[in-house]
Amino acid sequence: MAFTGLLVLLSSTLATGIHQASPWELRLAAFNDILHLGRRSTLLQRSSFVKNLDYKIKLRVCSAYPADAPFEVLLNEVPIKEELEYKSCFEYTGDLRSGDNVNFKVAGLASGSFTIDELPQEDATLVLVVHRHDKATMAVSFMSHVFAKLSGPQVALLDAYQGSSSSVVEIQPKDDDESKTETLRYNSVMALDEATYKVTLAMGDRKQEYELDAQSDEAYAIIRCGVDSEILKSYKQELMVYPTNEKTAEEKLDKAAANQFVLSFSVMALFVGALVC
């Protein structure tokens, strides 16, 4: 697999809380690995990832494919998501093996397939995005990125939009003045401080704002989606952010509940032990 360059957001005037990341820290995939479209001669597009069974691997699948009908997602022939709606994502933490296929179906019909070649020899988060191949057809394509395990938050800005409308994505620490606003490059990866950020999709005079609650040890995907088609149904240009604040809060509650269970079990064990004595 050829490496054509590293997608790192490099700037000498970064805003407070947004840090330049070195290639050794991020070990990012090259541009052709992140936006590998596979074979264009068929609706069944294929791309690839990496693998070692001894490490903790998270697979996050996002649909930036504008359509009313959801995807059914299967790992080989086993369903792992019954309905993946447009602008939604899910996380799979089960077993992954080299040669596995992540298959996509709509109404029982095969729509696309992503092949896992091999996985990183370290803890990692894999992001797989299914999106429209072009604005004139219903064909699917994939883009992917592998996040290495780092101590701080990471964000990948991926562009799945199909259309002629231009836009820029800006980020700034929430509640700070606009002088600390940075313009991000599509299909790049950056490291952030742990904080809450305002993300803005600027489309000329129109702006859409989103919130990114960047937590330590977490990897985030910001995806520009939508399609401007003269033939098929059009969908407005907007951003997806995953994981969301709701997911992060839910994980914190689950972790707190698990810790509370362990504590309660330990207290009960001590109480039983005292009775026995």
Side-chain angles (χ1 to χ4, degrees):
M1 183 178 294
F3 286 87
T4 60
L6 295 174
L7 294 180
V8 186
L9 180 65
L10 299 179
S11 173
S12 60
T13 59
L14 297 180
T16 302
I18 306 174
H19 293 298
Q20 175 176 327
S22 72
W24 288 107
E25 289 177 320
L26 292 182
R27 302 189 292 280
L28 301 177
F31 180 78
N32 61 331
D33 294 317
I34 293 178
L35 297 178
H36 182 62
L37 297 179
R39 297 191 298 273
R40 297 180 180 227
S41 59
T42 174
L43 290 179
L44 296 178
Q45 302 292 319
R46 291 182 178 272
S47 301
S48 57
F49 269 148
V50 216
K51 166 86 203 186
N52 186 310
L53 293 175
D54 297 330
Y55 300 99
K56 182 178 179 181
I57 304 294
K58 295 179 182 178
L59 172 62
R60 291 174 173 171
V61 183
C62 296
S63 175
Y65 185 94
D68 296 330
F71 285 109
E72 179 187 9
V73 185
L74 303 91
L75 182 61
N76 300 315
E77 300 303 321
V78 179
I80 56 175
K81 184 68 174 178
E82 291 185 1
E83 293 189 350
L84 178 62
E85 304 279 354
Y86 174 47
K87 298 190 300 180
S88 67
C89 304
F90 74 95
E91 182 177 294
Y92 176 76
T93 56
D95 188 28
L96 292 173
R97 298 175 181 274
S98 299
D100 281 347
N101 293 312
V102 183
N103 298 315
F104 295 79
K105 293 183 177 181
V106 176
L109 300 177
S111 300
S113 181
F114 182 97
T115 300
I116 298 174
D117 289 339
E118 53 180 348
L119 296 174
Q121 296 185 8
E122 59 184 346
D123 291 351
T125 298
L126 316 179
V127 177
L128 172 62
V129 181
V130 57
H131 63 97
R132 190 79 66 86
H133 180 272
D134 55 73
K135 64 180 182 179
T137 72
M138 298 295 288
V140 306
S141 283
F142 300 100
M143 61 177 65
S144 61
H145 179 63
V146 181
F147 287 100
K149 179 69 174 178
L150 296 181
S151 58
Q154 303 174 68
V155 179
L157 175 60
L158 304 177
D159 190 7
Y161 174 73
Q162 293 292 339
S164 57
S165 299
S166 61
S167 64
V168 295
V169 176
E170 300 172 335
I171 188 171
Q172 70 177 85
K174 189 177 180 181
D175 300 327
D176 277 0
D177 58 73
E178 294 186 359
S179 65
K180 295 183 179 180
T181 298
E182 286 289 333
T183 299
L184 306 182
R185 291 188 292 109
Y186 288 115
N187 305 317
S188 66
V189 182
M190 64 224 71
L192 301 176
D193 276 345
E194 186 173 356
T196 300
Y197 295 86
K198 181 176 72 174
V199 180
T200 302
L201 177 65
M203 301 164 286
D205 295 334
R206 296 186 298 116
K207 291 186 177 182
Q208 295 179 2
E209 294 184 353
Y210 305 81
E211 186 173 289
L212 173 62
D213 186 13
Q215 300 294 317
S216 180
D217 300 323
E218 186 57 273
Y220 298 88
I222 301 175
I223 307 164
R224 182 171 75 139
C225 57
V227 62
D228 182 14
S229 177
E230 298 177 357
I231 303 173
L232 304 170
K233 180 180 177 181
S234 292
Y235 291 77
K236 68 178 182 178
Q237 182 181 179
E238 53 191 322
L239 296 181
M240 299 168 53
V241 180
Y242 187 82
T244 61
N245 295 345
E246 289 78 8
K247 181 180 185 298
T248 303
E250 184 178 316
E251 289 178 342
K252 287 181 178 179
L253 288 174
D254 290 343
K255 185 176 181 180
N259 291 337
Q260 182 62 39
F261 174 79
V262 172
L263 178 60
S264 300
F265 183 82
S266 300
V267 171
M268 184 180 293
L270 288 174
F271 178 72
V272 172
L275 291 179
V276 172
C277 294

